[in-house]
Amino acid sequence: MSGTDSQRRAAVLGSPIAHSLSPVLHRAAYEELGLGDWSYDRFDVDEEALPGFFGQLGPEWAGLSLTMPLKRAVIPLLDGISETAASVEAVNTVVFTEDGRRVGDNTDIPGMVAALRERGIEQVDSAAILGAGATASSALAALARICTGEVVAYVRSAERAAEMREWGERLDVEVRTKDWADAAQALHAPLVIATTPAGTTDALATAIPERPATLFDVLYDPWPTELAARWSAYAGSVVSGLDLLVHQAVLQVEQMTGCAPAPLDAMRKAGEHALAAH
């Protein structure tokens, strides 16, 4: 995995990885920034193969994006991680410094905050989260920055409920949990963050109030989800998973290349074009 002296490399790792939009977004940024000697690839790497992959990286490597199932598995392989990554025990960005260190960060959390800020959401007095997986903990960490009151998480099991309350304590967010059977109540919150897999929230689309506030649905393919489409039809504000993907990628590009600001609009257009073609 060596390259020429001038070449700089980056990539996204995960398993499965074939449908990742990260190469589209990062390559669009390189083109816009005039970084003709930079390349960005994707590699299907699972937890078992990760140490070996790291072991063969040469000095031409600038950084890595990480998706499931590697966001926690990578931490022991790093020289340090940011406070943001430590807060949720998840790394989605690795930067290789000039002195040879491998430093982990989490751009999902500030990416969520930036995506909301772009839609004029600077602060909310309460919020609801649908789901309790890894993305839900990132959502809680984002809400720690912008929510002044209670967060209600709608979950399917007592175990998940306990996990979300524990994350709330760690992140200093007031978290109350409710059963998924009551999830329609979430739709009345000033900010609803849906972190569940495709199809999970479809049944809630018929329960949207007359004047919904803001929905942040972290999915982007297929898009729009049933919930997001109906939310828009009711004139509610919708933030998509592509918004999140682009904003977290902007931060990755800036960290890996040292070029700021990264070209948000060009990256978003490239992502939209790729999804439309797909």
Side-chain angles (χ1 to χ4, degrees):
M1 295 207 176
S2 62
T4 64
D5 290 341
S6 63
Q7 185 186 19
R8 299 293 280 155
R9 297 192 67 180
V12 60
L13 314 182
S15 186
I17 201 66
H19 298 298
S20 172
L21 274 183
S22 292
V24 170
L25 303 181
H26 284 252
R27 289 168 187 168
Y30 297 165
E31 184 175 355
E32 192 75 10
L33 292 167
L35 301 176
D37 54 350
W38 281 68
S39 65
Y40 189 99
D41 303 296
R42 63 164 69 88
F43 295 96
D44 197 303
V45 177
D46 60 16
E47 293 169 89
E48 189 178 347
L50 187 60
F53 186 93
F54 261 71
Q56 58 182 333
L57 298 179
E60 74 279 9
W61 282 86
L64 297 169
S65 308
L66 299 166
T67 186
M68 299 305 292
L70 305 178
K71 292 184 179 184
R72 289 191 176 150
V74 73
I75 293 175
L77 304 175
L78 303 177
D79 296 305
I81 65 174
S82 68
E83 284 186 23
T84 303
S87 73
V88 289
E89 296 177 4
V91 165
N92 78 329
T93 307
V94 176
V95 174
F96 300 97
T97 64
E98 289 184 6
D99 60 1
R101 298 178 74 244
R102 297 168 173 183
V103 182
D105 192 16
N106 186 310
T107 63
D108 285 332
I109 294 163
M112 280 187 177
V113 174
L116 286 164
R117 185 172 291 137
E118 188 179 34
R119 301 302 170 86
I121 309 296
E122 299 276 352
Q123 190 177 85
V124 291
D125 56 15
S126 63
I129 295 178
L130 298 172
T135 307
S137 60
S138 290
L140 266 184
L143 288 170
R145 303 182 180 194
I146 67 166
C147 184
T148 59
E150 181 183 69
V151 176
V152 183
Y154 293 82
V155 300
R156 292 191 182 277
S157 70
E159 181 184 6
R160 290 295 185 133
E163 285 176 8
M164 287 299 281
R165 289 193 297 269
E166 189 177 317
W167 279 115
E169 288 179 17
R170 286 187 55 172
L171 295 163
D172 198 23
V173 179
E174 184 186 347
V175 175
R176 183 160 55 96
T177 54
K178 299 189 80 168
D179 191 86
W180 184 262
D182 299 319
Q185 297 174 12
L187 309 185
H188 295 268
L191 172 61
V192 182
I193 305 182
T195 69
T196 51
T200 308
T201 62
D202 287 0
L204 297 176
T206 58
I208 296 171
E210 278 188 26
R211 294 183 179 178
T214 300
L215 170 69
F216 193 158
D217 195 326
V218 302
L219 295 173
Y220 61 85
D221 188 20
W223 185 263
T225 62
E226 189 76 22
L227 184 62
R230 188 74 68 92
W231 198 277
S232 293
Y234 277 82
S237 178
V238 175
V239 185
S240 75
L242 181 60
D243 294 322
L244 167 59
L245 198 66
V246 170
H247 277 283
Q248 64 82 27
V250 159
L251 296 169
Q252 289 184 334
V253 168
E254 291 174 355
Q255 288 190 29
M256 293 178 192
T257 68
C259 298
L264 173 70
D265 290 342
M267 294 168 72
R268 177 180 277 129
K269 285 176 184 171
E272 290 171 345
H273 182 75
L275 285 176
H278 171 63

